[in-house]
Amino acid sequence: FNTVYGKLDVLLTDDDLAGESIYQPVMVATIERLDNAGLLQESDGAKVVFPPGFHNRDNEPLPLIIQASTGGFNYATSDLTCVIDRVERLGADLLLYVIGAPQAQHLQMVFEVARMAGWLQPPAEAVHVSFGSVLGDDRKMLRSRTGDSVKLIDLLDEAVERAAAAIAEKNPELDGDARADVARMIGIGAVKYSDLSTDRIKDYVFDWDRMLAFEGNTAPYLQYAHARICSIFRRSGVDRSDVRGSAIGLVEPQERALVQRLLAYPSALAETINTYSPHKLCTYLFDLAQDFSSFYEHCPVMKAGEPVRTSRLALCDVTARTLEHGLGLLGIAAPEAM
């Protein structure tokens, strides 16, 4: 896992992790607390809680099994113990469970039992951030050619290899070290963006050609937009910091459209965060890159006279910084050359 985290630029360390085994010694105390709260019942030899509002297909009350008839603990036991630990020891007031959509009912029952026991009370809140599945071309769960489950580390390595081949074709002037660095940014970014740009509750088909394409709603398209702006400043000989704070004039409709999009960034971020929906930020960044492309096509930057030239350079800089910031929030790097 740590090797994969390193490739993905995930900042978690071993100190941040708490595997299920950590909670094993205190699960007995969780059962005792449920019993003392008068919530524990016996059903077919198992210790269970019946949270209200949950029924099986026969419309009978559905139990959350806390301890099996064999004496073994269940997922519910460890999940409830985790709630206690996170709220009472860590002082967490927002618990996000990024778990597949099929586990929705289990989590709803766990949350309800935790509320009944008094462990999950305002301001503490638990949210199931559900997600769909990654499918292959056959629209079944993604598998390797041999039929085995695809290992993420192999998928990431292949993404970097494919990105390196694409860069070698598009920009053979990049030296070996720079090409390897950019290939890693593009390959890893493509995989992340492909996943994050889809509404998380929906399944999607894994498609190498689409995710690594330099056009369309992809990471390489956004990364290229950022790199293109960096290229403008390299060719202009102007330092980006020199144009920051310059007045931005709006002459052409494409300038106005780009500025309006930039001003909408805080709203896009708020909507993304409030709904736990990264795809909304992806959509915003794609729209921003498209608006910039239209601006660049219709509004000359290098050939414009002053003060229009400085104004448009300042607009380019704000766009680049917004792209870099937004991609950064998605865990995706923004190369300065591609």
Side-chain angles (χ1 to χ4, degrees):
F1 282 145
N2 285 338
T3 301
V4 174
Y5 290 158
K7 288 180 180 291
L8 288 170
D9 294 323
V10 171
L11 304 180
L12 294 174
T13 68
D14 288 350
D15 293 336
D16 299 309
L17 310 180
E20 190 175 22
S21 59
I22 288 177
Y23 298 104
Q24 192 77 22
V26 289
M27 288 186 193
V28 171
T30 299
I31 295 176
E32 291 175 351
R33 290 179 65 169
L34 288 170
D35 196 19
N36 293 336
L39 298 176
L40 214 56
Q41 300 183 41
E42 189 168 309
S43 176
D44 294 331
K47 294 179 179 179
V48 306
V49 177
F50 287 97
F54 294 92
H55 300 85
N56 61 20
R57 293 178 180 176
D58 297 324
N59 204 33
E60 299 169 337
L62 190 64
L64 184 68
I65 301 175
I66 308 300
Q67 189 171 24
S69 57
T70 59
F73 300 133
N74 286 43
Y75 284 125
T77 326
S78 56
D79 287 339
L80 288 168
T81 306
C82 288
V83 171
I84 295 172
D85 181 64
R86 290 163 182 164
V87 173
E88 297 183 357
R89 182 179 67 84
L90 297 178
D93 56 17
L94 179 60
L95 286 64
L96 303 182
Y97 289 73
V98 186
I99 299 175
Q103 299 301 318
Q105 185 181 68
H106 167 77
L107 288 172
Q108 289 168 4
M109 295 178 73
V110 167
F111 298 160
E112 182 58 30
V113 170
R115 284 189 284 266
M116 293 167 66
W119 305 328
L120 195 59
Q121 296 295 321
E125 178 188 10
V127 178
H128 179 199
V129 183
S130 63
F131 58 87
S133 302
V134 184
L135 309 177
D137 292 336
D138 56 1
R139 302 200 68 83
K140 296 180 180 179
M141 292 292 287
L142 184 64
R143 300 281 178 178
S144 67
R145 291 185 179 88
T146 60
D148 300 324
S149 296
V150 175
K151 291 184 178 180
L152 179 56
I153 193 166
D154 295 334
L155 187 148
L156 295 174
D157 288 341
E158 183 171 351
V160 174
E161 290 174 8
R162 287 173 178 256
I167 295 168
E169 180 181 337
K170 289 182 175 293
N171 190 0
E173 297 177 3
L174 271 181
D175 64 56
D177 290 340
R179 183 184 301 172
D181 193 34
V182 173
R184 190 190 70 81
M185 294 183 193
I186 293 176
I188 300 298
V191 174
K192 287 184 178 181
Y193 193 86
S194 177
D195 194 73
L196 295 173
S197 61
T198 302
D199 188 337
R200 59 175 169 78
I201 65 172
K202 297 180 179 178
D203 299 342
Y204 72 91
V205 175
F206 189 90
D207 185 335
W208 281 117
D209 293 335
R210 184 179 62 81
M211 73 170 56
L212 286 167
F214 282 77
E215 58 277 331
N217 189 12
T218 67
Y221 175 74
L222 299 180
Q223 290 170 317
Y224 181 72
H226 178 268
R228 183 163 62 167
I229 296 174
C230 294
S231 173
I232 292 171
F233 279 93
R234 283 194 298 271
R235 288 184 283 116
S236 71
V238 176
D239 191 282
R240 286 173 60 179
S241 61
D242 291 340
V243 300
R244 289 174 191 169
S246 301
I248 295 178
L250 304 179
V251 178
E252 302 296 334
Q254 291 81 8
E255 290 173 302
R256 181 174 296 276
L258 180 56
V259 166
Q260 287 177 327
R261 185 75 65 187
L262 288 165
L263 291 172
Y265 185 46
S267 298
L269 282 184
E271 179 66 11
T272 297
I273 293 167
N274 292 338
T275 60
Y276 311 105
S277 301
H279 79 278
K280 294 182 179 180
L281 175 55
C282 295
T283 299
Y284 168 84
L285 294 174
F286 176 57
D287 290 340
L288 174 61
Q290 287 190 306
D291 286 339
F292 175 78
S293 180
S294 178
F295 156 79
Y296 190 65
E297 180 182 349
H298 294 93
C299 305
V301 177
M302 306 287 286
K303 297 179 180 179
E306 294 295 353
V308 175
R309 184 172 186 264
T310 296
S311 168
R312 288 177 177 172
L313 282 171
L315 195 48
C316 287
D317 174 63
V318 176
T319 303
R321 284 188 285 143
T322 305
L323 284 169
E324 183 180 21
H325 188 268
L327 286 171
L329 291 177
L330 297 170
I332 298 173
E336 294 189 2
M338 286 174 62

